[in-house]
Each structure stands twice: as structure tokens, then as C-alpha cells.
């Protein structure tokens, strides 16, 4: 009979311990408490992916018995296009899910590292840049037609690449002179840090600079 109270106390202690564990887990989920080991593992998996130059940060949130994570990375100098950044984000996502147990969803964000603050809001959008380029080139000598533009943001001013169509009848020297005039007009507008002009034949698209 004396063992019955002892057994009751042991059982009560086990129940209290289990209840406390459940309460701590629930409180952690309600307050978005994260697991430092999960965050460290996510960062390690992202750093191991090719083309990742830097990991800016990672966050983890419990969702039942699994984890939802976010990771921000900076690409190396070979990742410059939007499609290449999407490809890198997909690779980082796969690497994290494959390497970190209990992670069921990963959001990978790729940042160039150039603008992560309010300075980005002060620069024109690519659409605004395209409009400015077309209006400027339209009044430049040579009557060039702009086919497309690509904006780059890496400083206090944007840089731009411009593709223009030149007549098939003009010589290489004439095409180069016309492209240079367009470049000079864009630089004179003081809107850009660097300007590159790509001159292409209007008929077959064979490029020449």
C-alpha cells in the first residue's frame, strides 16, 4: 500500500512534465520562437550552394512538427539576369529542404546587395528609364529606333544598356558614329552612370557595336 502514493506521485510528475513540454511548444509557436540550430543549418545549406556569395539572414517558424523557413542570399558576380536569380533561388530552396530535416517549405530570396534600404525608392523604375531613353534617342542625330533597354542598379545613378536598330544601308563607321551620338546624348542627360549602346541591323538583327 505504501507504494501506491509513490506511484501516483511518479505518474503525476510524468504528466506534469509532458504537459509542460506541450505548453512550452505551444507558447513557442504562438510567439514565433525559433530554433537556432534550424537557422544555423539553413544558413549552412545555403552557403554550400554554388553561386551564393553571402547569406544575409535566415528565419524559421514552427508549423506543427515541421518548419517553414526563409533565407536571404546575395549571388556572386556571374548571376546578373532575373532568370539566373530565379534559378539560384530554386537551387537554394532545394538544397535547404534536402539538407535540413523537418523543413517542409523554404522561401529563398535573392538580393543583389546594392539596395536594401530607402535609397532604392529614389531611383527611377526600369519603365521610366526606358521612356527616358526612347525620348532622348529620338532627338539624337541619326534617327535611331530603340528596340529594347536593360536597366542596372549598382550606384547612386542607374546604368543602362540600349539596343538600337540601324539601317542596313549604312556603313559600319556610320552605324558606330550614330550609336556614339545616342550614347553621348544619354550621358549628357545626367540620368545615368554608365551607358552602353548595342547597334543592330534593322533587317536581320545581326549585331555590331
Amino acid at each position: 500500500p505504501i507504494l501506491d502514493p509513490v506511484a501516483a506521485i511518479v505518474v503525476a510528475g510524468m504528466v506534469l512534465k509532458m504537459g509542460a513540454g506541450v505548453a512550452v511548444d505551444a507558447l513557442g509557436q504562438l510567439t514565433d520562437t525559433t530554433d537556432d540550430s534550424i537557422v544555423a543549418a539553413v544558413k549552412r545549406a545555403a552557403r554550400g550552394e554554388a553561386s551564393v556569395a553571402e547569406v544575409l539572414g535566415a528565419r524559421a517558424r514552427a508549423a506543427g512538427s515541421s518548419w517553414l523557413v526563409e533565407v536571404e542570399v546575395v549571388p556572386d558576380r556571374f548571376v546578373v539576369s532575373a532568370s539566373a536569380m530565379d534559378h539560384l533561388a530554386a537551387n537554394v530552396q532545394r538544397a535547404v529542404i534536402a539538407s535540413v530535416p523537418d523543413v517542409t517549405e523554404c522561401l529563398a530570396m535573392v538580393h543583389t546587395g546594392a539596395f536594401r534600404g530607402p535609397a532604392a525608392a529614389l531611383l527611377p523604375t526600369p519603365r521610366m528609364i526606358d521612356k527616358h531613353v526612347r525620348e532622348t534617342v529620338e532627338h539624337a542625330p541619326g534617327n535611331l529606333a530603340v528596340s529594347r533597354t536593360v536597366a542596372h542598379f549598382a550606384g547612386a545613378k542607374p546604368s543602362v544598356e540600349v539596343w538600337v536598330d540601324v539601317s542596313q544601308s549604312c556603313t559600319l563607321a556610320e552605324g558606330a558614329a550614330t550609336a556614339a551620338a545616342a550614347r553621348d546624348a544619354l550621358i549628357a542627360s545626367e540620368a545615368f552612370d554608365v551607358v552602353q549602346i548595342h547597334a543592330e541591323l534593322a533587317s536581320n538583327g545581326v549585331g555590331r557595336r
Side-chain angles (χ1 to χ4, degrees), residues 4 7 29 43 46 64-65 72 80 84 86 97 107 116 118 124 139 176 191-192:
D4 290 344
Q29 293 186 30
K43 290 182 177 180
S65 60
E72 299 178 72
V80 294
D86 285 343
I97 292 176
L107 174 62
R116 296 195 295 270
H139 295 89
F192 306 109

Side-chain angles (χ1 to χ4, degrees), residues 8-202:
I9 293 174
V10 172
V11 171
M14 294 174 62
V15 171
L16 286 174
K17 181 179 179 181
M18 293 177 62
V22 172
V24 169
D25 289 341
L27 183 61
Q29 293 186 30
L30 289 173
T31 57
D32 284 341
T33 301
T34 189
D35 188 330
D36 291 339
S37 64
I38 293 290
V39 172
V42 169
K43 290 182 177 180
R44 186 164 53 249
R47 288 193 189 98
E49 186 61 30
S51 297
V52 171
E54 179 185 358
V55 176
L56 297 177
R59 290 176 290 276
R61 175 179 297 180
S65 60
S66 60
W67 288 89
L68 311 179
V69 301
E70 298 178 9
V71 59
E72 299 178 72
V73 301
V74 175
D76 62 21
R77 63 187 181 91
F78 300 103
V79 180
V80 294
S81 67
S83 59
M85 291 186 184
D86 285 343
H87 180 261
L88 175 59
N91 285 343
V92 170
Q93 181 185 52
R94 284 192 293 267
V96 169
I97 292 176
S99 303
V100 185
D102 299 327
V103 171
T104 57
E105 186 174 336
C106 174
L107 174 62
M109 294 172 286
V110 181
H111 301 283
T112 61
F115 295 101
R116 296 195 295 270
L122 303 178
L123 295 174
T125 65
R127 183 182 294 272
M128 295 167 61
I129 290 173
D130 183 84
K131 180 181 178 182
H132 176 76
V133 167
R134 292 178 186 275
E135 291 176 348
T136 303
V137 173
E138 181 181 347
H139 295 89
N143 193 25
L144 291 175
V146 176
S147 59
R148 66 188 177 101
T149 62
V150 175
H152 301 276
F153 301 93
K157 291 182 180 180
S159 299
V160 66
E161 291 183 77
V162 183
W163 280 258
V164 296
D165 294 332
V166 296
S167 173
Q168 189 177 12
S169 61
C170 74
T171 65
L172 182 61
E174 291 171 342
T178 304
R183 184 192 60 216
D184 293 341
L186 289 170
I187 293 177
S189 70
E190 299 184 351
F192 306 109
D193 185 23
V194 176
V195 175
Q196 272 193 326
I197 302 290
H198 305 276
E200 299 178 332
L201 293 179

